[in-house]
Amino acid sequence: MNLASRNIGWIEVVCGPMFSGKSEELIRRLRRAEIARQRVQIFKPTIDQRYSEDHIVSHSELRIRSESVRDAADVQARLDWRTEVIGLDEAQFLGHDIIDLVVRLADMGKRIIIAGLDTDYLGRPFHPMPELLAVADEITKTLAICMQCGNPAKHTQRLINSADLVVVGAAGMYEARCRRCFEPNLTKPVAGKNGSPVVETQPATTAALQPQSAG
Ligand code: ADP
Ligand code: ZN
């Protein structure tokens, strides 16, 4: 919340699909905090090194410096306790312990601004985002533009064939889709024994974190 008074303790969550402007919004809010001469620290998970190791970079090339962390313990270890505003990008990759940490930091009077995917490539809630939404003081849901029909898009459509929950990438691997155009079980026809097409669907299982190459 941009009008939140200092030291009150405040949790903001910006959630939505890929390409919906979460990083842009996070960067905008953090820049304003810096302009207000507040002490700001920004973290993103090491899993997401798509564009830069030491910056958050939006799809529109906005950027702000950041520190890479593995999990909540890493955030805590790197935190300067004088920091007033804490930014977390791609929070869906930070693990369950981030919920407690965020609440404790807010209770200490800090402002935490969190961005993350609220649903995965199958349209399921992407933990711990639902829990972070529950403890938030303010929530912003961002929508992208559906790449099929131009309507507002709430889904992240995976375009490549993988059953892993986490495949880090961007353009070409994922696109934004509206509810109508979203195909969670996007199928890839492969040749069957007798030459007839066999439909391969994506199983709804959660695989281990397996980042792949940058997109
Ligand atoms: P997120 O963090 O939600 O993935 P970003 O903040 O990194 O999103 O990028 C948002 C920007 O992505 C937009 O301002 C726009 O320039 C670009 N963009 C690319 N594809 C789309 C799309 N399908 N819908 C909306 N914006 C898109
Ligand atoms: Zn659509």
Side-chain angles (χ1 to χ4, degrees):
M1 215 286 260
N2 298 317
L3 301 175
S5 42
R6 294 180 184 195
N7 307 325
I8 192 179
W10 192 266
I11 302 169
E12 294 161 46
V13 178
V14 180
C15 67
M18 281 180 75
F19 307 104
S20 64
K22 301 183 299 296
S23 299
E24 282 177 348
E25 181 59 19
L26 179 66
I27 292 167
R28 190 184 78 87
R29 293 184 192 186
L30 292 168
R31 284 240 182 287
R32 287 169 63 88
E34 287 178 339
I35 290 166
R37 295 175 189 258
Q38 294 185 293
R39 289 176 182 271
V40 177
Q41 268 187 287
I42 305 159
F43 302 98
K44 69 170 188 175
T46 42
I47 200 170
D48 185 14
Q49 307 288 23
R50 276 173 290 178
Y51 307 105
S52 168
E53 268 183 38
D54 53 7
H55 280 79
I56 291 171
V57 185
S58 77
H59 292 111
S60 53
E61 300 285 322
L62 291 181
R63 56 173 61 221
I64 196 165
R65 72 202 148 54
S66 65
E67 300 174 54
S68 288
V69 289
R70 297 200 168 278
D71 51 24
D74 212 1
V75 173
Q76 186 165 339
R78 286 164 180 272
L79 205 61
D80 176 339
W81 294 97
R82 294 170 301 175
T83 295
E84 299 163 277
V85 180
I86 299 148
L88 302 175
D89 200 14
E90 305 287 357
Q92 75 279 359
F93 295 148
L94 287 175
H96 202 79
D97 291 344
I98 199 69
I99 307 157
D100 270 0
L101 178 62
V102 158
V103 171
R104 276 193 285 125
L105 293 172
D107 288 345
M108 291 171 64
K110 301 190 187 297
R111 176 183 176 201
I112 304 101
I113 314 173
I114 302 164
L117 289 170
D118 48 1
T119 58
D120 65 14
Y121 73 106
L122 293 172
R124 303 169 302 187
F126 206 152
H127 296 278
M129 291 304 290
E131 289 82 357
L132 290 170
L133 287 163
V135 299
D137 295 85
E138 195 204 54
I139 295 165
T140 303
K141 185 131 173 170
T142 49
L143 297 172
I145 303 297
C146 175
M147 295 305 282
Q148 300 287 302
C149 75
N151 273 309
K154 73 179 291 289
H155 284 296
T156 303
Q157 176 72 53
R158 184 178 283 183
L159 301 170
I160 53 145
N161 222 293
S162 170
D164 293 338
L165 175 62
V166 179
V167 178
V168 175
M173 297 169 80
Y174 294 95
E175 71 180 25
R177 296 256 184 114
C178 72
R179 186 185 293 278
R180 198 175 51 189
C181 298
F182 180 50
E183 299 169 273
N185 296 309
L186 188 65
T187 54
K188 184 178 104 181
V190 294
K193 277 188 195 138
N194 56 6
S196 61
V198 169
V199 169
E200 206 178 64
T201 55
Q202 302 202 358
T205 53
T206 302
L209 298 183
Q210 289 190 5
Q212 293 188 358
S213 63

mmCIF file of all heavy atoms in Angstrom, residues 43-50 52-53 56 66-71 74-75 88-95 115:
data_model
loop_
_atom_site.group_PDB
_atom_site.id
_atom_site.type_symbol
_atom_site.label_atom_id
_atom_site.label_comp_id
_atom_site.label_asym_id
_atom_site.label_seq_id
_atom_site.Cartn_x
_atom_site.Cartn_y
_atom_site.Cartn_z
ATOM 1 N N PHE A 43 14.833 -9.291 -2.511
ATOM 2 C CA PHE A 43 15.306 -10.672 -2.652
ATOM 3 C C PHE A 43 14.531 -11.393 -3.747
ATOM 4 O O PHE A 43 13.336 -11.161 -3.942
ATOM 5 C CB PHE A 43 15.107 -11.434 -1.335
ATOM 6 C CG PHE A 43 15.814 -10.807 -0.168
ATOM 7 C CD1 PHE A 43 15.141 -9.985 0.717
ATOM 8 C CD2 PHE A 43 17.165 -11.042 0.040
ATOM 9 C CE1 PHE A 43 15.794 -9.395 1.797
ATOM 10 C CE2 PHE A 43 17.829 -10.469 1.105
ATOM 11 C CZ PHE A 43 17.136 -9.645 1.990
ATOM 12 N N LYS A 44 15.238 -12.306 -4.405
ATOM 13 C CA LYS A 44 14.549 -13.198 -5.346
ATOM 14 C C LYS A 44 15.184 -14.574 -5.224
ATOM 15 O O LYS A 44 16.348 -14.698 -4.840
ATOM 16 C CB LYS A 44 14.643 -12.657 -6.777
ATOM 17 C CG LYS A 44 16.032 -12.713 -7.387
ATOM 18 C CD LYS A 44 15.963 -12.399 -8.861
ATOM 19 C CE LYS A 44 17.320 -12.635 -9.508
ATOM 20 N NZ LYS A 44 17.305 -12.473 -10.949
ATOM 21 N N PRO A 45 14.448 -15.625 -5.545
ATOM 22 C CA PRO A 45 15.002 -16.976 -5.391
ATOM 23 C C PRO A 45 16.100 -17.263 -6.402
ATOM 24 O O PRO A 45 16.027 -16.823 -7.551
ATOM 25 C CB PRO A 45 13.806 -17.888 -5.616
ATOM 26 C CG PRO A 45 12.746 -17.060 -6.223
ATOM 27 C CD PRO A 45 13.047 -15.627 -5.985
ATOM 28 N N THR A 46 17.116 -17.995 -5.970
ATOM 29 C CA THR A 46 18.235 -18.341 -6.860
ATOM 30 C C THR A 46 17.743 -19.127 -8.070
ATOM 31 O O THR A 46 18.378 -19.119 -9.113
ATOM 32 C CB THR A 46 19.277 -19.209 -6.125
ATOM 33 O OG1 THR A 46 18.578 -20.166 -5.344
ATOM 34 C CG2 THR A 46 20.163 -18.387 -5.253
ATOM 35 N N ILE A 47 16.619 -19.791 -7.925
ATOM 36 C CA ILE A 47 16.082 -20.611 -9.016
ATOM 37 C C ILE A 47 15.786 -19.771 -10.254
ATOM 38 O O ILE A 47 15.797 -20.264 -11.371
ATOM 39 C CB ILE A 47 14.813 -21.340 -8.519
ATOM 40 C CG1 ILE A 47 14.514 -22.523 -9.401
ATOM 41 C CG2 ILE A 47 13.633 -20.415 -8.435
ATOM 42 C CD1 ILE A 47 13.434 -23.403 -8.826
ATOM 43 N N ASP A 48 15.541 -18.494 -10.041
ATOM 44 C CA ASP A 48 15.164 -17.647 -11.170
ATOM 45 C C ASP A 48 16.312 -16.708 -11.547
ATOM 46 O O ASP A 48 16.395 -15.585 -11.087
ATOM 47 C CB ASP A 48 13.917 -16.833 -10.810
ATOM 48 C CG ASP A 48 13.428 -16.020 -12.001
ATOM 49 O OD1 ASP A 48 13.880 -16.294 -13.126
ATOM 50 O OD2 ASP A 48 12.610 -15.110 -11.788
ATOM 51 N N GLN A 49 17.225 -17.186 -12.382
ATOM 52 C CA GLN A 49 18.355 -16.354 -12.822
ATOM 53 C C GLN A 49 18.214 -16.064 -14.309
ATOM 54 O O GLN A 49 19.193 -15.941 -15.031
ATOM 55 C CB GLN A 49 19.697 -17.082 -12.564
ATOM 56 C CG GLN A 49 19.883 -17.563 -11.156
ATOM 57 C CD GLN A 49 20.142 -16.435 -10.160
ATOM 58 O OE1 GLN A 49 19.782 -15.295 -10.410
ATOM 59 N NE2 GLN A 49 20.736 -16.751 -9.041
ATOM 60 N N ARG A 50 16.954 -15.977 -14.764
ATOM 61 C CA ARG A 50 16.705 -15.862 -16.198
ATOM 62 C C ARG A 50 17.446 -14.710 -16.858
ATOM 63 O O ARG A 50 18.052 -14.852 -17.898
ATOM 64 C CB ARG A 50 15.201 -15.666 -16.449
ATOM 65 C CG ARG A 50 14.446 -16.951 -16.488
ATOM 66 C CD ARG A 50 12.972 -16.687 -16.574
ATOM 67 N NE ARG A 50 12.456 -16.134 -15.321
ATOM 68 C CZ ARG A 50 11.201 -15.773 -15.153
ATOM 69 N NH1 ARG A 50 10.351 -15.865 -16.130
ATOM 70 N NH2 ARG A 50 10.785 -15.307 -14.002
ATOM 71 N N SER A 52 19.187 -12.008 -14.892
ATOM 72 C CA SER A 52 20.269 -11.420 -14.129
ATOM 73 C C SER A 52 20.366 -12.100 -12.778
ATOM 74 O O SER A 52 19.367 -12.516 -12.204
ATOM 75 C CB SER A 52 19.987 -9.922 -13.950
ATOM 76 O OG SER A 52 20.854 -9.379 -13.000
ATOM 77 N N GLU A 53 21.600 -12.202 -12.254
ATOM 78 C CA GLU A 53 21.770 -12.781 -10.921
ATOM 79 C C GLU A 53 21.513 -11.761 -9.831
ATOM 80 O O GLU A 53 21.128 -12.102 -8.724
ATOM 81 C CB GLU A 53 23.204 -13.294 -10.762
ATOM 82 C CG GLU A 53 23.370 -14.729 -11.147
ATOM 83 C CD GLU A 53 24.782 -15.213 -10.896
ATOM 84 O OE1 GLU A 53 25.370 -14.817 -9.882
ATOM 85 O OE2 GLU A 53 25.280 -15.978 -11.729
ATOM 86 N N ILE A 56 16.291 -7.850 -10.352
ATOM 87 C CA ILE A 56 14.991 -8.297 -10.832
ATOM 88 C C ILE A 56 14.775 -7.568 -12.153
ATOM 89 O O ILE A 56 14.937 -6.350 -12.214
ATOM 90 C CB ILE A 56 13.883 -7.915 -9.829
ATOM 91 C CG1 ILE A 56 14.023 -8.737 -8.552
ATOM 92 C CG2 ILE A 56 12.515 -8.100 -10.458
ATOM 93 C CD1 ILE A 56 13.116 -8.268 -7.444
ATOM 94 N N SER A 66 18.907 -6.735 -6.765
ATOM 95 C CA SER A 66 18.323 -7.668 -5.793
ATOM 96 C C SER A 66 19.389 -8.641 -5.318
ATOM 97 O O SER A 66 20.448 -8.758 -5.932
ATOM 98 C CB SER A 66 17.158 -8.438 -6.427
ATOM 99 O OG SER A 66 17.640 -9.266 -7.463
ATOM 100 N N GLU A 67 19.085 -9.329 -4.221
ATOM 101 C CA GLU A 67 19.964 -10.374 -3.708
ATOM 102 C C GLU A 67 19.284 -11.715 -3.959
ATOM 103 O O GLU A 67 18.072 -11.844 -3.782
ATOM 104 C CB GLU A 67 20.178 -10.198 -2.200
ATOM 105 C CG GLU A 67 20.808 -8.858 -1.836
ATOM 106 C CD GLU A 67 20.860 -8.659 -0.318
ATOM 107 O OE1 GLU A 67 21.393 -9.531 0.388
ATOM 108 O OE2 GLU A 67 20.347 -7.627 0.153
ATOM 109 N N SER A 68 20.071 -12.712 -4.348
ATOM 110 C CA SER A 68 19.511 -14.041 -4.603
ATOM 111 C C SER A 68 19.520 -14.865 -3.319
ATOM 112 O O SER A 68 20.509 -14.877 -2.592
ATOM 113 C CB SER A 68 20.330 -14.760 -5.670
ATOM 114 O OG SER A 68 20.091 -14.166 -6.915
ATOM 115 N N VAL A 69 18.417 -15.535 -3.062
ATOM 116 C CA VAL A 69 18.290 -16.344 -1.842
ATOM 117 C C VAL A 69 17.674 -17.705 -2.183
ATOM 118 O O VAL A 69 16.953 -17.842 -3.164
ATOM 119 C CB VAL A 69 17.388 -15.656 -0.795
ATOM 120 C CG1 VAL A 69 18.076 -14.447 -0.194
ATOM 121 C CG2 VAL A 69 16.049 -15.267 -1.392
ATOM 122 N N ARG A 70 18.005 -18.691 -1.333
ATOM 123 C CA ARG A 70 17.437 -20.028 -1.547
ATOM 124 C C ARG A 70 16.065 -20.173 -0.903
ATOM 125 O O ARG A 70 15.179 -20.814 -1.434
ATOM 126 C CB ARG A 70 18.340 -21.101 -0.935
ATOM 127 C CG ARG A 70 19.674 -21.147 -1.555
ATOM 128 C CD ARG A 70 20.411 -22.453 -1.327
ATOM 129 N NE ARG A 70 21.558 -22.457 -2.217
ATOM 130 C CZ ARG A 70 21.500 -22.794 -3.489
ATOM 131 N NH1 ARG A 70 20.372 -23.196 -4.021
ATOM 132 N NH2 ARG A 70 22.576 -22.725 -4.246
ATOM 133 N N ASP A 71 15.937 -19.599 0.308
ATOM 134 C CA ASP A 71 14.718 -19.832 1.088
ATOM 135 C C ASP A 71 14.582 -18.755 2.168
ATOM 136 O O ASP A 71 15.365 -17.798 2.208
ATOM 137 C CB ASP A 71 14.772 -21.228 1.722
ATOM 138 C CG ASP A 71 16.082 -21.455 2.467
ATOM 139 O OD1 ASP A 71 16.715 -20.465 2.887
ATOM 140 O OD2 ASP A 71 16.467 -22.630 2.632
ATOM 141 N N ASP A 74 17.586 -18.025 4.363
ATOM 142 C CA ASP A 74 18.563 -17.216 3.641
ATOM 143 C C ASP A 74 18.165 -15.737 3.662
ATOM 144 O O ASP A 74 19.009 -14.851 3.831
ATOM 145 C CB ASP A 74 18.619 -17.749 2.192
ATOM 146 C CG ASP A 74 19.987 -17.621 1.574
ATOM 147 O OD1 ASP A 74 20.917 -17.142 2.267
ATOM 148 O OD2 ASP A 74 20.127 -18.003 0.399
ATOM 149 N N VAL A 75 16.878 -15.473 3.502
ATOM 150 C CA VAL A 75 16.390 -14.084 3.585
ATOM 151 C C VAL A 75 16.729 -13.524 4.959
ATOM 152 O O VAL A 75 17.293 -12.433 5.090
ATOM 153 C CB VAL A 75 14.863 -14.001 3.359
ATOM 154 C CG1 VAL A 75 14.350 -12.582 3.614
ATOM 155 C CG2 VAL A 75 14.488 -14.457 1.948
ATOM 156 N N LEU A 88 10.086 -9.068 -2.166
ATOM 157 C CA LEU A 88 10.310 -10.485 -2.504
ATOM 158 C C LEU A 88 9.685 -10.757 -3.861
ATOM 159 O O LEU A 88 8.476 -10.583 -4.035
ATOM 160 C CB LEU A 88 9.652 -11.408 -1.466
ATOM 161 C CG LEU A 88 10.071 -11.275 0.002
ATOM 162 C CD1 LEU A 88 9.209 -12.196 0.875
ATOM 163 C CD2 LEU A 88 11.546 -11.609 0.185
ATOM 164 N N ASP A 89 10.488 -11.185 -4.826
ATOM 165 C CA ASP A 89 9.929 -11.521 -6.134
ATOM 166 C C ASP A 89 9.865 -13.040 -6.280
ATOM 167 O O ASP A 89 10.615 -13.758 -5.616
ATOM 168 C CB ASP A 89 10.786 -10.917 -7.265
ATOM 169 C CG ASP A 89 10.013 -10.817 -8.586
ATOM 170 O OD1 ASP A 89 8.769 -10.960 -8.570
ATOM 171 O OD2 ASP A 89 10.647 -10.575 -9.627
ATOM 172 N N GLU A 90 8.979 -13.532 -7.121
ATOM 173 C CA GLU A 90 8.824 -14.972 -7.373
ATOM 174 C C GLU A 90 8.692 -15.749 -6.057
ATOM 175 O O GLU A 90 9.343 -16.781 -5.855
ATOM 176 C CB GLU A 90 10.010 -15.510 -8.201
ATOM 177 C CG GLU A 90 10.249 -14.766 -9.499
ATOM 178 C CD GLU A 90 9.202 -15.050 -10.580
ATOM 179 O OE1 GLU A 90 8.305 -15.874 -10.362
ATOM 180 O OE2 GLU A 90 9.313 -14.420 -11.653
ATOM 181 N N ALA A 91 7.852 -15.242 -5.172
ATOM 182 C CA ALA A 91 7.733 -15.811 -3.826
ATOM 183 C C ALA A 91 7.211 -17.239 -3.829
ATOM 184 O O ALA A 91 7.389 -17.974 -2.849
ATOM 185 C CB ALA A 91 6.830 -14.923 -2.971
ATOM 186 N N GLN A 92 6.610 -17.680 -4.931
ATOM 187 C CA GLN A 92 6.130 -19.071 -4.988
ATOM 188 C C GLN A 92 7.288 -20.066 -4.917
ATOM 189 O O GLN A 92 7.068 -21.246 -4.665
ATOM 190 C CB GLN A 92 5.281 -19.305 -6.244
ATOM 191 C CG GLN A 92 6.046 -19.421 -7.558
ATOM 192 C CD GLN A 92 6.431 -18.079 -8.164
ATOM 193 O OE1 GLN A 92 6.110 -17.033 -7.622
ATOM 194 N NE2 GLN A 92 7.111 -18.103 -9.291
ATOM 195 N N PHE A 93 8.513 -19.583 -5.109
ATOM 196 C CA PHE A 93 9.673 -20.480 -5.047
ATOM 197 C C PHE A 93 10.414 -20.399 -3.713
ATOM 198 O O PHE A 93 11.476 -20.990 -3.567
ATOM 199 C CB PHE A 93 10.669 -20.136 -6.162
ATOM 200 C CG PHE A 93 10.165 -20.358 -7.564
ATOM 201 C CD1 PHE A 93 10.597 -19.551 -8.592
ATOM 202 C CD2 PHE A 93 9.281 -21.395 -7.859
ATOM 203 C CE1 PHE A 93 10.147 -19.751 -9.895
ATOM 204 C CE2 PHE A 93 8.823 -21.593 -9.156
ATOM 205 C CZ PHE A 93 9.265 -20.768 -10.180
ATOM 206 N N LEU A 94 9.895 -19.639 -2.750
ATOM 207 C CA LEU A 94 10.670 -19.402 -1.529
ATOM 208 C C LEU A 94 10.365 -20.386 -0.401
ATOM 209 O O LEU A 94 11.009 -20.341 0.638
ATOM 210 C CB LEU A 94 10.470 -17.960 -1.047
ATOM 211 C CG LEU A 94 11.185 -16.913 -1.917
ATOM 212 C CD1 LEU A 94 10.841 -15.505 -1.454
ATOM 213 C CD2 LEU A 94 12.698 -17.122 -1.902
ATOM 214 N N GLY A 95 9.405 -21.270 -0.585
ATOM 215 C CA GLY A 95 9.143 -22.298 0.422
ATOM 216 C C GLY A 95 8.172 -21.840 1.499
ATOM 217 O O GLY A 95 7.893 -20.647 1.665
ATOM 218 N N ALA A 115 5.752 -10.405 -4.620
ATOM 219 C CA ALA A 115 5.166 -10.705 -5.935
ATOM 220 C C ALA A 115 5.323 -12.193 -6.199
ATOM 221 O O ALA A 115 6.321 -12.801 -5.812
ATOM 222 C CB ALA A 115 5.859 -9.897 -7.029
#
